[in-house]
Amino acid sequence: MRDVSKFLSGFKRFQQNYLGERKNLFESLVQQGQHPPVLMIACCDSRCDPALLTDCDPGDMFVVRNVANLVPPHVKATYFAATTSAIAFAVHNLEVEHIIVMGHAQCGGIRALLENRSPSCNEEELIAKWLGIAAEAREKVLTEFTRASPATIAHACEQASILVSLSNLMSYPWIQERVAAGKLALHGWYFDMQLGELLEYQPESGSFEVLVPNLETAV
Ligand SMILES: [Zn+2]
């Protein structure tokens, strides 16, 4: 079993950086509380840490992470609704101005959604049910990309599922109201980890376009 010493030395660096060199920032976050302008909904994938990818400071971003960065549709009286509760807290209490749904390449959750295997145990059934939030994305992509490679289909489904989550966000009346009032903006981002690029959904073109290119690999 690998030990956790890497994380302890990482915490010591955090102490040096934020409790030492940037003491004022942390003191004000402790005294005045958090006021992040952004809610980020990202995947649990260990390669897609939103704060790391955007080089954020503590206090910059309220983060919700779940399998495949999905947002369930608005339904009444659900229990243990972790994602919905976090979104509600960010919108109602923190009054965030932006919600970013960030999907990514090589998403294991979306791969499982595409494989659509029959659950063999209760745990698999739970995951399949969760991934079912994006069933619409799966159907759409499999209908449109009948002859494409598995990688192309996966990319398309990863991006289509972001659109499902954005659409589901708009099913919450309190989000719809804030968007209509210009107090809240929704964004769909896609981290292409193979190319090292960040893409954003552009409603005008109906596609994901490069927002931050990887200048190291640009020709
Ligand atoms: Zn993922």
Side-chain angles (χ1 to χ4, degrees):
M1 184 187 287
R2 286 177 281 184
D3 71 25
V4 294
S5 57
K6 176 180 177 170
F7 306 105
L8 302 181
S9 52
F11 188 75
K12 284 177 189 161
R13 285 195 298 280
F14 167 79
Q15 285 177 320
Q16 283 162 12
N17 293 340
Y18 286 103
L19 306 181
E21 289 171 22
R22 306 189 65 189
K23 206 175 174 185
N24 290 347
L25 169 68
F26 224 80
E27 274 178 0
S28 94
L29 285 170
V30 170
Q31 283 160 15
Q32 294 167 30
Q34 60 167 339
H35 302 283
V38 170
L39 162 64
M40 174 77 84
I41 300 167
C43 186
C44 295
D45 194 297
S46 62
R47 302 162 294 180
C48 299
D49 184 331
L52 188 68
L53 289 176
T54 56
D55 196 18
C56 270
D57 283 321
D60 282 347
M61 190 185 277
F62 192 75
V63 178
V64 181
R65 298 180 75 173
N66 63 43
V67 175
N69 46 270
L70 298 176
V71 176
H74 174 64
V75 279
K76 284 183 180 169
T78 53
Y79 296 95
F80 308 117
T83 294
T84 305
S85 304
I87 294 170
F89 183 77
V91 173
H92 287 288
N93 297 63
L94 300 176
E95 298 183 326
V96 294
E97 292 155 34
H98 301 270
I99 300 180
I100 302 168
V101 177
M102 184 174 71
H104 68 100
Q106 296 189 354
C107 183
I110 296 300
R111 189 171 62 235
L113 172 71
L114 282 167
E115 287 171 357
N116 201 24
R117 279 177 295 174
S118 301
S120 61
C121 60
N122 186 42
E123 288 73 23
E124 281 189 11
E125 201 175 323
L126 284 175
I127 297 170
K129 200 167 182 180
W130 173 256
L131 293 171
I133 292 170
E136 184 189 327
R138 178 182 188 276
E139 301 312 318
K140 181 177 179 289
V141 166
L142 291 181
T143 307
E144 279 180 21
F145 293 82
T146 47
R147 295 184 175 198
S149 69
T152 302
I153 291 172
H155 258 60
C157 196
E158 285 153 0
Q159 295 185 348
S161 72
I162 296 169
L163 302 188
V164 171
S165 287
L166 290 175
S167 167
N168 285 348
L169 279 171
M170 287 297 277
S171 68
Y172 293 80
W174 32 273
I175 288 183
Q176 212 178 94
E177 282 165 19
R178 282 171 169 82
V179 170
K183 293 178 178 171
L184 180 64
L186 309 185
H187 312 263
W189 284 9
Y190 181 76
F191 169 47
D192 189 324
M193 67 173 78
Q194 283 127 322
L195 297 177
E197 292 182 336
L198 187 65
L199 290 81
E200 183 176 39
Y201 178 69
Q202 300 292 344
E204 297 79 20
S205 65
S207 61
F208 281 79
E209 294 171 16
V210 176
L211 187 62
V212 184
N214 183 352
L215 297 176
E216 298 284 318
T217 57
V219 189

